[in-house]
Amino acid sequence: MLKGKVAIVTGGTRGIGFEVVRKYLANGAKVVLFGSRQETVDAALKKLKEENGAWEAEGKCPKLTDAAQVERAVLEVKEKYGRIDILVNNAGISQSTPLYSYTAEEFDRVIDLNVKAVFYAILPAAAVMKEQGGGCIINTSSMVSISGQAAGVGYPTSKFAVNGLTISLARELGKDNIRVNAVAPGVTKTDMVAALPKEVVERISKGIPLQRAGEPEEVANAFLYLASDLASYVTGEILSVDGASRA
Ligand code: NAD
């Protein structure tokens, strides 16, 4: 489905991002994953090589909250592969701090990675895509971008912003043949959810119409669809993959 395409996936070392990288490689793309530390990037690449030695994957560690570092890393991908067809902004942090314990620094930390870093990666990647005649950007939102969240207000705020960025840029960049979409996962079995109290996860899972948390691979399938030509007329969409949790 992605033969010959070149993709960047941020936060591609584990969880949903890692499954997106696997899915893209298995469907013929060349993938550059951006991770936060060289050790985790190397471990992810080793795992992928063991699974299939023919897959073309490499990793980089730009500081995602540093616009200049991100620009450099994106342009290195363009220099090496000649193009960038897909940008997946997946790296993100969540927290559930109650408002009265919140600090300004904590709010900034969430917004810096979940919102500003998304913008920093889009800026150089969209310019490359425009020049080559098109491309596709997929951001990672969340079900809390629809329902909000009863603690840790920085996180849902950041995902509402991701939706705004996605829908607005879909409108702005359509004329350049750049599609911009987001995937909004529900509770998905990754380290992010493992970090939540068990009773919270159980309570949320019971309330999901499909009665269970999602698997990272089920979320990655949506990233595959949106990156593929099957979604050639889909842009400005926030695609929920959440077992109808938001309903
Ligand atoms: P995860 O914690 O397993 O993975 C997060 C990824 O982001 C990792 O690859 C990590 O290295 C990267 N990352 C974190 N901080 C970083 C930093 N400062 N710089 C660079 N990379 C950094 O979580 P996940 O569940 O796979 O989350 C992936 C995305 O999905 C996030 O944007 C998250 O908000 C979103 N999401 C997850 C869930 C869920 O239930 N797991 C639900 C909705 C949305």
Side-chain angles (χ1 to χ4, degrees):
M1 286 169 82
L2 303 178
K3 202 164 174 22
K5 307 246 190 210
V6 177
I8 294 174
V9 179
T10 74
T13 55
R14 64 169 198 254
I16 293 168
F18 183 73
E19 286 306 320
V20 172
V21 171
R22 282 186 66 223
K23 231 359 94 172
Y24 282 7
L25 290 168
N27 280 273
K30 297 174 183 147
V31 182
V32 182
L33 62 90
F34 287 3
S36 45
R37 285 185 298 124
Q38 195 60 50
E39 307 93 270
T40 52
V41 166
D42 290 346
L45 292 172
K46 184 165 174 276
K47 222 162 135 185
L48 293 164
K49 285 278 166 212
E50 279 165 9
E51 190 168 341
N52 190 328
W55 283 349
E56 282 187 67
E58 69 165 296
K60 294 184 181 294
C61 297
K63 189 165 188 257
L64 295 181
T65 52
D66 180 328
Q69 283 195 34
V70 174
E71 180 185 31
R72 207 172 313 124
V74 168
L75 295 180
E76 280 169 12
V77 175
K78 148 82 172 135
E79 270 158 38
K80 179 163 175 186
Y81 297 95
R83 55 189 301 109
I84 300 167
D85 299 289
I86 304 158
L87 168 67
V88 172
N89 286 304
N90 162 79
I93 42 172
S94 91
Q95 34 79 298
S96 48
T97 311
L99 182 68
Y100 300 118
S101 310
Y102 233 104
T103 61
E105 290 73 25
E106 194 170 352
F107 192 82
D108 286 348
R109 205 166 57 84
V110 175
I111 300 299
D112 283 353
L113 183 67
N114 293 10
V115 184
K116 289 187 182 175
V118 172
F119 178 73
Y120 296 160
I122 289 174
L123 215 49
V128 170
M129 289 173 184
K130 180 181 183 210
E131 193 192 319
Q132 73 195 13
C136 138
I137 296 166
I138 309 172
N139 300 320
T140 310
S141 182
S142 166
M143 67 176 182
V144 304
S145 74
I146 295 153
S147 58
Q149 179 172 296
V153 71
Y155 183 66
T157 301
S158 74
K159 296 302 186 179
F160 272 81
V162 165
N163 290 3
L165 198 71
T166 301
I167 295 166
S168 301
L169 287 180
R171 296 185 66 175
E172 184 174 347
L173 303 182
K175 65 182 182 321
D176 301 320
N177 195 29
I178 300 172
R179 294 185 297 107
V180 190
N181 291 292
V183 174
V187 182
T188 312
K189 292 180 196 160
T190 67
D191 290 356
M192 186 175 275
V193 166
L196 293 171
K198 204 164 158 250
E199 56 281 11
V200 172
V201 179
E202 274 170 13
R203 183 170 39 79
I204 298 171
S205 298
K206 277 192 193 133
I208 298 170
L210 284 183
Q211 308 264 298
R212 63 174 178 87
E215 297 293 336
E217 191 181 353
E218 294 177 299
V219 178
N221 285 332
F223 283 90
L224 175 60
Y225 162 68
L226 287 172
S228 78
D229 291 342
L230 289 177
S232 54
Y233 199 57
V234 179
T235 189
E237 182 65 23
I238 312 297
L239 177 53
S240 292
V241 184
D242 64 359
S245 306
R246 71 210 172 278

